[in-house]
Amino acid sequence: MDRLFLIDTSAYFYRAYFALPPLSTSAGLPTNAIYGFTTMLLKLLEQHQPTHIAAVLDRPEPTFRHEAYDQYKANRAVMPDDLQVQIPHIRDVIEAFNIRAIGKPGFEADDIIGTLALKAAADGCEVVIVSGDKDLCQLIGPRITMLDTMKDKVMDPAAVREKYGLDPEHIVDMLALTGDTSDNVPGVPGIGPKTAQSLLAQFGSLDGIYQKLDEITKKNARAALEQNREQAYLSKRLVMIDTNVELDCAWRDCTLTPPDTCALQELYKKFEFTRLLKAGAAAEPRPEKNYCALIESADLEQFYETLAGLERFTLDLETTSQFPMLAGIVGISFAWRDHEAVYIPLAHQGLSHQPDRATVLSRLKPILENPAIGKVGHNIKYEYIVLKKYGIELQGIACDTMVASYVLNPSRYRHNLDDVALDRLNHKMISFKDVAGSGKKQITFDLVPLAQAAEYACEDSDITNMLSKLLLPQVSADGFDELFRDMEMPLVIVLAEIEMAGVKIDAQRLGVLSREFHARLDEIETHVHELAGVEFNVNSPKQLGEVLFEKLGLPVVKKTKTGYATDVDTLKELAHMHPMPEAVLEYRSLAKLVSTYVDSLPALINPATGRVHTSYNQTVTATGRLSSSDPNLQNIPIRTEEGIRIREAFVGEKGCKILSADYSQIELRILAHMSGDATLIDTFLNDGDVHARTAVEIWGDSGLDPQRRREAKVINFGIIYGMSGFGLSRELGIAPKKAQQYIDQYFARYSGVRTFLDSLVDEARMIGYVATLMGRKRFLPDINAANQQERKFAERTAINAPIQGTAADLIKIAMLNIHRRLQAEKLTSRMIMQVHDELVFEVPEDELERMAALVRQEMESVYAMRVPLKVDVGWGESWRDAH
């Protein structure tokens, strides 16, 4: 039997947008509506297998309803910008699924759905309307149902009667009486759903009600109906679906055909839908694999001899933990020829016979430490750390395919092996959960059966080996050799050493802070309740929204599917109107610091080292900056009292001090160098106060006021980030027109900056990317996009990426140079943290003066610029004291 599914497309992408949290690609394209709509389609096709399908679209042109009533849908909010930008991409998804898209000027999607539904049902086709819109219930009848995929609910005539107390054919009359606030349909004032239901049950229809008005016993209802007869019939006209639209296609033209899987895969890559990309990936035919586990001594001896004679090989460790400082080696795999790999089990439980771990590692040690043999890995920093714990210093690291992937396209969302293999080799990897399970049932790798473990481990090395042969030539061809070879690859070792060093945490001091901060949280919570006039759960967005917008009557800034929005931006906007939102912001900020650092850091102290070991991520940010995780040590505020107190707990070992070296205004100095602006250069050459200078340049003598300097600081840094007049107005709390005037005055005084920033955008439009001084590229595929929001984001990125990226490059080079000096001069001082423009060291007291001079020299001389680089150096008992 034929089954026609008619998708109410606009309703679905709206619902997806509000149902899902904000999602975006690494390039900044919002994707939550695209993702929600795509997953809905996949679920629909898989579970229901229609024979015919159409995606019915609303058109932007006015309809006959607007002509009949100029206030129709007048109260509809303007489509959010971050939803509007997704609409063209949703159409691309529909096209890739090979689903017919239908829309007609002058008519709504409901009218087209109604026309196709009735004609198909009359032809004996089963019709399913995919929507949750109550207006479409009027179409439900023989062979026509409505499916709400978000609620997994089917509406047939019985379900309509159960929900509304009426048959589907009476829904139009009910809406004519009650009106519809979402579409601004007026209805009859004073007639609600219960009254409408009662009247229709008694009189059968709107016509029946007006034919027997005298029989209505409720005076108010009768009067309302008498006074609003014309409005009631107008409302009926507005809500009644036109089922006779002339279309250029029939329902039989909507036959479902297989999707264009290649087009879908490309879209999934573009939108960075990793889960969908993996699920949709077809198994790429591969030559026969030769994977094996080496257990016998004779085989191992032959293997060691082979390995020692190679110029390059790939290795991959299997361990008991994702955290290298806690991991024990379970096995190790190697590859050097395509589709071949070996796995050596070393600590699998339940194996009656396997090689001795200590013996194998001792035999591998001279090979792994031989710098003449190239080593390849994916996230090889992990291998370096784990092996060093076992007394092996991995040398000859030639390629990290994760880093190579990142250098080639830093805007890519993720560079893990599964994703890169899928993207570059169209190969779907065996996942860890395939062999170890997931959730509470997940086992550690030492419990994985040997056959599965060997297959999994060998594939990791084999695929990494093939990726290296693919990516390294591209790194060279794209001009990234120097960036990759001289900066990013040597940095792998530096970061590994920083992670292994870790940082000492004073847990006792954090315990004191915890008690103080929890007491402060209680005080703030009490204050919030006093301001609200009622006790409620401050951590509940729902309860907070009810207090703010219902009890206090503050204006609703925006709503979500689940209720009122109470995010940071909303609370900041409301803080100008009432003191409670500001108190809630203070509460949230402190609560986050308590949960993320004060209460969490002591539990993260490694029992073997007594220190906390973060992980520095080299391949996450598109600008080239490093990020920190598990725990993130780069987000502790430096300007709040609470953040300063937390930094007191970062201390040195006995006999050591904490030394901090922080670049001063490095991004503004880079801007001066790259733009050649005479005023900026003059300020830095004379060691002037750049913010005070900007304040005077914009406001003249009144710029000497301290408040003007603070505003000038916002402008200086805002310019680097491509801030608009609207963005500046929000930062300074002034009118957008005034903010734009400030920006115009800035560029009038710093004309070289204006010319430079314009040239960055112009060049990006021509060649499709911008670059740092060291040649790191940021590709901008949307720089010429027709969609204004996408284009503007790309333009802001074109302005910011070369500056922020150059700052990231400079501190990386400084880290490399300092690391080499520490080794060459045999100093015992250790680099223990990198926090964006700041390096933190643990320094024996007898090396303090020497280290301060060494660090300052290396950081300030890292690159020859038109203006001097300046580094602020300090030290003390704690990280706080070093500032």
Side-chain angles (χ1 to χ4, degrees), residues 29 109 116 172 282 376 545 650 660:
L29 172 67
L116 291 170
V172 172
V376 176
F650 288 70
S660 166

Side-chain angles (χ1 to χ4, degrees), residues 147 217 270 305 337 377 403 550 556 593 595 664 718 794 842 883:
L147 170 66
T217 56
K270 178 180 179 180
E305 186 177 340
R337 285 194 293 262
V403 176
E550 294 177 13
V556 177
L593 287 177
S595 63
S664 172
E842 187 175 57
H883 281 276

Side-chain angles (χ1 to χ4, degrees), residues 533-552:
V534 64
E535 289 193 8
F536 68 99
N537 182 358
V538 181
N539 294 307
S540 167
K542 183 176 183 297
Q543 293 184 32
L544 175 60
E546 289 169 354
V547 171
L548 289 171
F549 305 112
E550 294 177 13
K551 185 177 188 303
L552 298 180

Side-chain angles (χ1 to χ4, degrees), residues 840-860:
V840 182
F841 302 84
E842 187 175 57
V843 182
E845 293 181 6
D846 61 355
E847 291 181 4
L848 269 174
E849 297 290 343
R850 187 176 174 186
M851 270 297 292
L854 182 155
V855 170
R856 187 191 300 278
Q857 179 191 10
E858 292 298 341
M859 291 179 72
E860 291 186 345

Side-chain angles (χ1 to χ4, degrees), residues 19-41:
L20 296 176
L23 302 172
S24 63
T25 66
S26 51
L29 172 67
T31 57
N32 58 341
I34 306 170
Y35 184 78
F37 185 80
T38 304
T39 53
M40 182 276 290
L41 277 182

Side-chain angles (χ1 to χ4, degrees), residues 68-216:
Y69 182 52
D70 61 3
Q71 292 302 302
Y72 180 64
K73 294 190 176 181
N75 60 348
R76 281 276 179 102
V78 176
M79 184 183 289
D81 289 344
D82 57 341
L83 173 56
Q84 179 71 48
V85 75
Q86 298 182 62
I87 306 305
H89 302 294
I90 289 172
R91 292 198 183 100
D92 291 340
V93 169
I94 294 169
E95 183 178 349
F97 271 100
N98 283 329
I99 292 173
R100 186 155 192 153
I102 307 173
K104 183 170 182 176
F107 294 91
E108 295 184 28
D110 290 5
D111 302 315
I112 298 170
I113 289 172
T115 299
L116 291 170
L118 292 189
K119 288 182 178 178
D123 291 339
C125 177
E126 180 184 337
V127 179
V128 180
I129 299 169
V130 184
S131 180
D133 189 347
K134 65 180 180 297
D135 293 7
L136 289 165
C137 287
Q138 62 187 275
L139 299 172
I140 293 173
R143 289 186 292 277
I144 301 177
T145 57
M146 188 163 78
L147 170 66
D148 186 342
T149 60
M150 287 191 170
K151 297 180 180 178
D152 283 324
K153 186 172 183 179
V154 176
M155 294 288 284
D156 57 11
V160 174
R161 284 192 291 273
E162 181 182 348
K163 183 170 183 176
Y164 298 106
L166 299 166
D167 288 323
E169 59 264 27
H170 293 146
I171 293 294
V172 172
D173 290 334
M174 181 193 74
L175 294 172
L177 292 168
T178 62
D180 187 347
T181 55
S182 65
D183 289 340
N184 205 34
V185 174
V188 177
I191 303 295
K194 289 186 178 179
T195 302
Q197 181 181 335
S198 174
L199 289 170
L200 290 169
Q202 183 178 356
F203 300 109
S205 66
L206 187 65
D207 288 339
I209 291 170
Y210 275 104
Q211 287 169 6
K212 298 180 179 180
L213 269 180
D214 293 342
E215 297 180 22
I216 297 175

